[in-house]
Amino acid sequence: MGSMKYKILIIAGLILLAGTVFAQKQVKYHNPAPKETLSPIVRDHLRWVMDEKGWHLPNIADVRAIEAAARQGDPPAQFRLSLMYESGYGVEQNDARALRWLRKAAEQGFSPAQYDLGSRYVRGDGVDQDLVEASAWYQKAAEQGFASAQKNLGAMYARGHGVPQDFNEAYVWSSIATRSGVEGAIRNRNLAATKLSQDELQIAEKRATTLYAEIQQRAPEGTDG
């Protein structure tokens, strides 16, 4: 009897652990794009996103609605569908389809997708590793106000990864990301500052201020969640 209870406890523990791992895996997809940037067809079908009630996978109607919107060319729906295929949420997991829908959304100028595609090129995830391509996608997203892309672009300029090494640009983009509250951007900005003269630093700071204001004027509110 004692042995049976022990086995039951082990099984229960494994189930609980599996549930925890599953939940942790999903967290990276929580609110991949802020609601302000999502079309109504996607915003109305977010039951698969973590909320106060826990995880809810989409039903067939949800999946079909998102697929239909994606095929009609809606970038947020294409991005959402990409994440669903990447994770296997409501659809059969398919890396090729995930990348295809991600690229479609990125090519239409959807900044969360541009950032995600840039990160794939950094990692070589589903594509050949290409830092030049990565920096190009980060640049597109950064110019739209996607703060994480701004931070990563600044780091690439500091290291000369995919772009010529340029501490002025590194300072500018890191400074802009700092104003958006991105963790780690302050350190990157301060490191870049040590590579600049006082005159260069003043010029870079002035450009960062001007560029940040321009981006804020044209970027959707809450571009980077």
Side-chain angles (χ1 to χ4, degrees), residues 110-131:
F110 192 56
S111 59
Q114 292 172 336
Y115 171 77
D116 202 2
L117 187 56
S119 297
R120 278 177 172 263
Y121 275 108
V122 169
R123 301 189 304 266
D125 182 6
V127 295
D128 292 335
Q129 188 179 48
D130 188 333
L131 296 183

Side-chain angles (χ1 to χ4, degrees), residues 9-73:
L9 287 173
I10 291 177
I11 293 172
L14 290 173
I15 292 173
L16 183 59
L17 177 61
T20 301
V21 171
F22 177 80
Q24 289 175 344
K25 182 180 180 181
Q26 327 297 329
V27 169
K28 66 174 288 190
Y29 302 111
H30 177 41
N31 291 334
K35 291 184 179 180
E36 290 83 355
T37 66
L38 296 178
S39 60
I41 192 66
V42 177
R43 195 165 55 241
D44 293 341
H45 297 287
L46 300 184
R47 284 197 292 275
W48 64 288
V49 176
M50 190 179 214
D51 59 21
E52 66 278 1
K53 297 179 182 178
W55 284 104
H56 299 276
L57 296 180
N59 59 36
I60 293 176
D62 294 335
V63 174
R64 287 177 177 172
I66 293 174
E67 287 178 334
R71 292 193 182 97
Q72 290 169 10

Side-chain angles (χ1 to χ4, degrees), residues 174-193:
S174 297
S175 180
I176 292 173
T178 295
R179 299 171 196 221
S180 300
V182 179
E183 185 178 353
I186 293 177
R187 179 176 179 274
N188 290 352
R189 181 200 62 188
N190 292 345
L191 285 173

Side-chain angles (χ1 to χ4, degrees), residues 2-217:
S3 176
M4 180 61 70
K5 287 183 178 180
Y6 181 69
K7 289 180 179 179
I8 292 173
L9 287 173
I10 291 177
I11 293 172
L14 290 173
I15 292 173
L16 183 59
L17 177 61
T20 301
V21 171
F22 177 80
Q24 289 175 344
K25 182 180 180 181
Q26 327 297 329
V27 169
K28 66 174 288 190
Y29 302 111
H30 177 41
N31 291 334
K35 291 184 179 180
E36 290 83 355
T37 66
L38 296 178
S39 60
I41 192 66
V42 177
R43 195 165 55 241
D44 293 341
H45 297 287
L46 300 184
R47 284 197 292 275
W48 64 288
V49 176
M50 190 179 214
D51 59 21
E52 66 278 1
K53 297 179 182 178
W55 284 104
H56 299 276
L57 296 180
N59 59 36
I60 293 176
D62 294 335
V63 174
R64 287 177 177 172
I66 293 174
E67 287 178 334
R71 292 193 182 97
Q72 290 169 10
D74 183 68
Q78 292 169 342
F79 180 59
R80 186 71 68 180
L81 188 58
S82 168
L83 297 185
M84 292 170 71
Y85 273 117
E86 181 179 355
S87 314
Y89 292 155
V91 293
E92 185 176 352
Q93 199 277 337
N94 189 308
D95 290 331
R97 289 184 180 180
L99 180 60
R100 180 164 63 89
W101 286 114
L102 177 64
R103 190 177 295 279
K104 284 180 179 292
E107 289 174 348
Q108 290 201 76
F110 192 56
S111 59
Q114 292 172 336
Y115 171 77
D116 202 2
L117 187 56
S119 297
R120 278 177 172 263
Y121 275 108
V122 169
R123 301 189 304 266
D125 182 6
V127 295
D128 292 335
Q129 188 179 48
D130 188 333
L131 296 183
V132 173
E133 192 75 11
S135 65
W137 286 112
Y138 281 154
Q139 181 89 36
K140 292 177 186 293
E143 289 175 351
Q144 292 194 70
F146 202 85
S148 295
Q150 294 165 350
K151 174 194 170 184
N152 288 9
L153 183 61
M156 295 187 85
Y157 271 113
R159 297 166 183 162
H161 288 177
V163 290
Q165 189 175 50
D166 187 330
F167 291 110
N168 285 281
E169 287 297 293
Y171 181 91
V172 168
W173 287 110
S174 297
S175 180
I176 292 173
T178 295
R179 299 171 196 221
S180 300
V182 179
E183 185 178 353
I186 293 177
R187 179 176 179 274
N188 290 352
R189 181 200 62 188
N190 292 345
L191 285 173
T194 64
K195 304 294 184 179
L196 302 176
S197 68
Q198 283 300 313
D199 288 342
E200 289 173 329
L201 188 58
Q202 289 180 4
I203 293 172
E205 181 60 32
K206 183 177 180 179
R207 179 165 176 263
T209 300
T210 301
L211 185 55
Y212 177 77
E214 292 175 355
I215 290 173
Q216 289 300 106
Q217 287 180 351

